[in-house]
Structures are given as C-alpha cells and as structure tokens.
Amino acid sequence: MPSSRESALPVAVIGAGLTGLAAARRLALAGRRVAVFDAAAEPGGVVRSERHSDGWLVEAGPNSLQQTPAVAELVRDLGLERARVVAAPAAKNRYICRDGRLRPLPLSPPDFFRSAVFSKRTKFRVFRELFRRRRPRLQDLPLADFFREHFGQELLDYALDPFVSGIYAGDPARLSARHAFPALWKAEHEHGSLIRAQIKAAKAKRARGEPSGPPPIISFTDGLAALPRALASALPAGSLRLGATISQLSPSRDGWILDASPEERFSRVILALPAPALARLTIGSPGAQTSLASLDHLEHPAVASLFLGFRREQVAHPLDGFGVLLPSVEKRRLLGVLFNSTLFPGRAPDGHVALTVIVGGARHGELARRPLDQQLPVVLEELAQILGVRGEPVFMRRSFWPHAIPQYQLNHDAHLEVIAAAEQRHAGLFIGGPVRDGIGMPACLKAGERLAEAALA
C-alpha cells in the first residue's frame, strides 16, 4: 500500500487515449488525485468522430465497439445509455469476396454446412476438429500455421486471413498465435478442439444467465468519440492537460518529476502510450536511464481510412450488411469496406450512403502512404468492381495512420520483457495499453483498469 505521503501526491497518467482515461477515472473514483497528460488537442487517441452539418458522421479511427459486460457497465456509469445506438439487424450480414464475387458468410453452424462458400472437404475438416484431442504445445507458432492445423487452408484463406486484416491490418503468417489471439491459444490448451471450447463457453454463459453469441455491436449518436469525451468529463476539474508533450521522467526522493511540469511531484506514473511514443521517452536520472527505444521495432503498418459518401443510386449493391472482407488470395488492393450508413443511423444524409474503405496494412503499406490524388483512383476502381459504385463521391474525408496497429509477432515476448524490466527497475512505474494488453477498445479499457489497480496497490 502507498504511504500517506505518497497518497497525497497525484498520479501522473501519460496518454489520454482510452487506456489512460480509464486508468485516470478508476484512480479518481478511488480518491486519488490524477493528472493526465497528452500531446494532442483532444482526448481519445485514435478514437475520433466528426459530425458535419450536412449530415455526415465520420469515424477517423474505430467504427464500432463490442458491448462486453464491462463496456455495458461503463456506458451506464457514464450516463451514455441514451446516446447509445445498436447496430442495425442488417449489419449481422458479412460479405466475403470469393472468385471475384461477393458472397454472404454463414452466420451459424447450420448455415456453414449449407453454404456454398466453403467446400465439402473443409466442412468435413471442421466437423473432424470437434474431436481433436488436447496436445501439449511447447512453443509459439505463426497464427496461420496454428489455424491451418485446426481447419485447413481454405478456411485460413477465406475466414481467418480477411478477419485478421480487418482487426490487425496484419498478416496471419507473421502474427503470433499465442499473443495475437490468446483466447484461441488458451482454448486449444484447455480443450484441444477450438469448436468444443466454444460450445462449452456458450453453455457456461447460458448457465450464468448471459446471452450466448458475440456481444452486441454499438456506437453512439455522435460517434465513438462520445466515450473518451465522457471519460474525460468524468475526471475532476483540471485533471486533463492537453497539448503537453512528455519526453523525460525522472524518479527522485520526492516522487516522479516530468519535464513538462518540473515544479510538480507525482507518486506514480502510468504510461498509456503507443510503442513509438514510448520508444522516444527518457526514463531515469542521468547515468541511470532506462531505454524503451527497442519498442520502435514493434511493427505498425501504415493504414489509410477513406470515408466516402455517395448518392444511393451510385451504388448498385444493396449494402445489406456490416461490410465486405477481402481475402489476400483474391489479390484485391483494399483491406475491406464498411457499410457505415447501414451499420448505424445518422451516418449519411437522406438519399445517400456512407462507406469506409480501409487501405494499406501489412499487405499494401505503400498504397496507404500514397497522396490522395494517387490513392483515390485505385479505391474507386476497386469499389466499382466490388460494389458497382459509379462516379465520384459527393463527400470524402481521409485519415492516415502511419503507425496504425501494433503487430504481435513471434518476437513479441522480447518487447514484453523490455516493458517488464522497466517496471521492475523503477518502482511506481506502470506501462500498458495496446503495446501490451490487446488492441481492441474493450482491451484498452480493461488495460486502464489493470494499470489503476496496480498503481493503487
């Protein structure tokens, strides 16, 4: 437990993304003073929403949020329930591009075995996986190899590969099975069969009175940025310090000192920053410094997100789904397309539709970095072939993320060891967020709770 003197000093939280804001909120609820520093002009990190007066609502980063039980509780506590919007029923449909055509993905086991998307051989392979025995696995392996071992090449190509592109913008042949999808790794360890593990998990949820199946997909009336804004508003006045760049942390007998606020002392420091920002930090006093510079080698592929608005008659496809997944074997130049105006209301004006096109990632990083005048023709050509889009968009916004999503590859243990060593060397230093705890929004919120509890101990 911290001493009474330490408890009188505030806790510094560096980073006002979801992880840092969730940590600060938990500390404030526990009665601790907090100061949250961020170089940006607004809180939220990559969660950015823009409402335009002509009816368009643009998400520059994530487009939706899974409402886990923890997220549902947070939404209630922040008073956001009235602003919450649930994905439209049509959004349950997911399209896959196969042999140049869009096909709906099966939504249930019976649908899977009736579907023409996958071959009889793959269906038999999936059925056989149900009886897979537990086998000890002594070391990590690429996610592609792990999944292929369970389900074969076809399901890897037309299910896992596009799914991973949508989440990580990554390559399953380079991602770590153990770190990128720890739930699958644990399921195999405990049950052998991933399908049998899913069945048992669904039964356990029903026994607890929880609905089976994936959590609902939600957003808010004015976009996902409502969540970090509400987290920031819940902090005590004066806690949030935007436009503040921290480059050095120095421990002393009087507590931690930050170069952006040298007159203050802090009892604890929470670092909720992306890997490139962590790599630039100097931690410690001259002659006894700890470097996180090696985290700059944690790969983050570039991603561009193009929000495109069209008149409804410009798009031939009915857009009756969440979006389109594009497997790498199809040799398309896009990662995927989201049907924003189908997914949630209020994303486009009447008579119009909104699409978000994701470009780049591990597949096409060079295309993501192209200027818009070179990028847009490629995007429109692809949309014409995939969705029957005609003509130029009537509305457009482009967001570019040069270091988008951390790739948990086979060397990820080395990055985790660097982080753990820094914490062990410096008492009162806690590090977390997407660099360590998972990349989804629920994982970031959970990481903030973990960091706060560690700082309170």
Side-chain angles (χ1 to χ4, degrees):
M1 293 292 291
S3 67
S4 58
R5 184 182 179 282
E6 287 179 317
S7 298
L9 294 174
V11 177
V13 178
I14 317 300
L18 287 183
T19 297
L21 292 172
R25 173 179 176 270
R26 177 57 57 196
L27 289 165
L29 289 174
R32 298 297 300 273
R33 290 194 296 138
V34 293
V36 184
F37 297 87
D38 200 290
E42 293 186 13
V46 300
V47 184
R48 301 180 189 176
S49 309
E50 302 172 8
R51 168 68 75 183
H52 293 264
S53 59
D54 50 359
W56 302 101
L57 176 58
V58 179
E59 297 284 14
N63 280 262
S64 61
L65 169 63
Q66 278 196 326
Q67 185 181 270
T68 63
V71 168
E73 181 180 359
L74 179 62
V75 167
R76 287 194 300 270
D77 290 348
L78 292 174
L80 286 173
E81 282 195 300
R82 294 184 66 181
R84 186 190 63 144
V85 290
V86 179
K92 68 180 180 180
N93 298 321
R94 303 289 201 279
Y95 284 95
I96 192 84
C97 183
R98 176 148 197 183
D99 302 323
R101 295 173 50 209
L102 296 194
R103 303 167 184 243
L105 279 172
L107 300 175
S108 66
D111 285 345
F112 172 79
F113 287 103
R114 288 192 297 262
S115 171
V117 175
F118 299 106
S119 66
K120 291 180 180 178
R121 181 175 181 177
T122 290
K123 293 171 185 176
F124 177 73
R125 182 75 179 261
V126 170
F127 176 75
R128 191 176 65 183
E129 201 274 345
L130 182 63
F131 304 98
R132 181 184 173 97
R133 296 181 179 180
R134 289 175 58 189
R135 286 183 290 181
R137 196 180 288 279
L138 302 179
Q139 62 183 17
D140 199 1
L141 76 165
L143 178 62
D145 294 352
F146 176 89
F147 197 83
R148 185 188 298 109
E149 188 178 310
H150 281 266
F151 300 114
Q153 188 67 39
E154 185 181 37
L155 217 60
L156 169 62
D157 288 341
Y158 285 99
L160 181 74
D161 171 89
F163 181 71
V164 166
S165 291
I167 295 177
Y168 276 93
D171 180 355
R174 300 178 62 195
L175 292 177
S176 153
R178 182 161 61 94
H179 291 296
F181 283 85
L184 293 184
W185 185 266
K186 181 181 179 183
E188 184 197 56
H189 176 74
E190 295 179 350
H191 302 280
S193 164
L194 303 183
I195 295 176
R196 201 163 61 245
Q198 280 189 318
I199 293 171
K200 290 188 176 181
K203 288 182 178 178
K205 287 180 72 174
R206 287 195 296 269
R208 295 192 299 268
E210 301 173 13
S212 59
I217 302 296
I218 67 166
S219 184
F220 303 96
T221 305
D222 288 317
L224 287 178
L227 181 57
R229 289 170 188 155
L231 284 167
S233 296
L235 298 177
S239 298
L240 187 60
R241 307 182 190 183
L242 299 173
T245 299
I246 307 296
S247 59
Q248 184 167 351
L249 318 173
S250 303
S252 72
R253 287 180 300 176
D254 298 319
W256 286 86
I257 305 170
L258 311 184
D259 61 336
S261 186
E263 72 283 357
E264 290 184 276
R265 298 295 183 271
F266 301 92
S267 64
R268 305 279 193 271
V269 174
I270 289 174
L271 297 179
L273 294 168
L278 289 171
R280 293 191 294 268
L281 280 177
T282 300
I283 303 174
S285 305
Q289 292 178 343
T290 296
S291 173
L292 298 174
S294 65
L295 294 179
D296 209 28
H297 299 294
L298 202 170
E299 185 175 335
H300 293 67
V303 170
S305 169
L306 277 71
F307 181 96
L308 304 177
F310 296 94
R311 294 186 301 277
R312 184 64 189 88
E313 61 269 20
Q314 288 182 267
V315 183
H317 193 275
L319 303 181
D320 53 345
F322 189 98
V324 179
L325 297 172
L326 299 168
S328 58
V329 294
E330 290 290 309
K331 307 299 182 185
R332 310 303 318 191
R333 291 171 290 178
L334 311 179
L335 292 183
V337 184
L338 301 176
F339 304 162
N340 299 74
S341 49
T342 301
L343 185 56
F344 298 115
R347 268 50 184 173
D350 291 343
H352 294 75
V353 295
L355 307 174
T356 293
V357 181
I358 310 300
V359 176
R363 289 191 210 165
H364 304 293
E366 182 274 333
L367 180 57
R369 287 185 285 269
R370 287 187 194 178
L372 181 60
D373 62 343
Q374 297 178 24
Q375 195 176 79
L376 185 60
V378 174
V379 168
L380 292 179
E381 182 181 350
E382 290 286 310
L383 290 179
Q385 297 173 16
I386 296 168
L387 298 173
V389 172
R390 299 181 299 275
E392 298 285 324
V394 298
F395 180 89
M396 178 172 56
R397 286 294 183 274
R398 176 180 181 267
S399 303
F400 176 60
W401 305 98
H403 305 285
I405 302 170
Q407 305 292 293
Y408 295 174
Q409 297 179 348
L410 293 178
N411 65 345
H412 197 61
D413 277 321
H415 298 305
L416 297 180
E417 288 166 6
V418 167
I419 293 170
E423 290 179 326
Q424 290 166 8
R425 185 174 184 183
H426 299 285
L429 179 67
F430 307 94
I431 306 171
V435 69
R436 186 184 204 180
D437 298 295
I439 64 169
M441 291 177 67
C444 292
L445 293 167
K446 185 177 180 180
E449 298 284 335
R450 177 189 70 79
L451 289 166
E453 292 301 322
L456 288 167

